[in-house]
Amino acid sequence: MPRRREALPLSEHYGDLVRVALMEVRPAGLRTRQLIIATRLTKSQVGRGIRHLRDVGAAEHLTPNIWRRRDGYMFSEDPADRVEYEKKLFRLILGRLTRMITGTLDPHMARYPDDEWAQLASAQLTGVRATLAQLTK
């Protein structure tokens, strides 16, 4: 009886297809629509492939994929490209954290000023916020 072949997890398969498509156009990039056409995957499958690539690429010390508005997803060897992308991610996280603090934690503190947990969270997040602000410069 023939031995049954193990199937790749779908995200790994999608990641492989996305990686091959990006490697073929390197150093240029592909926008999501172009990746959909090149890989014949759906938009959500391309997204899963990108996320898998980021997880596996980081783990295997591969060239990280970045995203730029004008180029889409791409592999870049240029450290300036990676720094620019990382700063964008830090700005995104800083914005979300700031909205969480001003929209949730500050009203909590105003209503319950003696709440130990809220004071601890506020003190810790103030430091994180300052660090993220420095990293975005």
Side-chain angles (χ1 to χ4, degrees):
M1 175 158 228
R3 191 172 145 169
R4 188 171 175 193
R5 203 172 100 181
E6 295 271 332
L8 288 175
L10 288 178
S11 59
E12 185 176 338
H13 174 69
Y14 301 153
D16 288 342
L17 291 173
V18 169
R19 182 182 55 77
V20 167
L22 290 175
M23 291 299 286
E24 287 178 356
V25 299
R26 193 178 191 176
L30 292 173
R31 294 186 171 157
T32 302
R33 190 83 198 118
Q34 294 168 317
L35 276 171
I36 291 169
I37 293 167
T39 60
R40 298 184 180 173
L41 297 173
T42 66
K43 185 176 180 178
S44 66
Q45 290 169 333
V46 166
R48 285 173 66 184
I50 290 289
R51 286 188 300 275
H52 179 77
L53 257 184
R54 287 190 175 145
D55 293 343
V56 170
E60 295 180 0
H61 307 292
L62 300 175
T63 303
N65 67 330
I66 63 171
W67 182 85
R68 289 196 298 210
R69 183 177 300 250
R70 70 179 180 269
D71 300 315
Y73 294 98
M74 62 188 294
F75 291 116
S76 176
E77 293 291 339
D78 185 359
D81 289 342
R82 290 192 294 248
V83 169
E84 175 189 340
Y85 179 68
E86 290 160 356
K87 285 182 177 184
K88 283 181 187 178
L89 290 179
F90 286 134
R91 277 192 292 277
L92 176 70
I93 295 166
L94 176 61
R96 286 183 174 184
L97 179 63
T98 300
R99 284 189 301 279
M100 194 281 295
I101 290 169
T102 59
T104 305
L105 190 56
D106 286 351
H108 180 168
M109 294 273 299
R111 189 160 184 174
Y112 304 102
D114 296 330
D115 186 333
E116 284 184 43
W117 185 89
Q119 290 174 359
L120 173 65
S122 179
Q124 293 297 316
L125 292 178
T126 298
V128 172
R129 192 176 181 182
T131 300
L132 287 171
Q134 284 296 112
L135 290 171
T136 61
K137 293 180 180 180

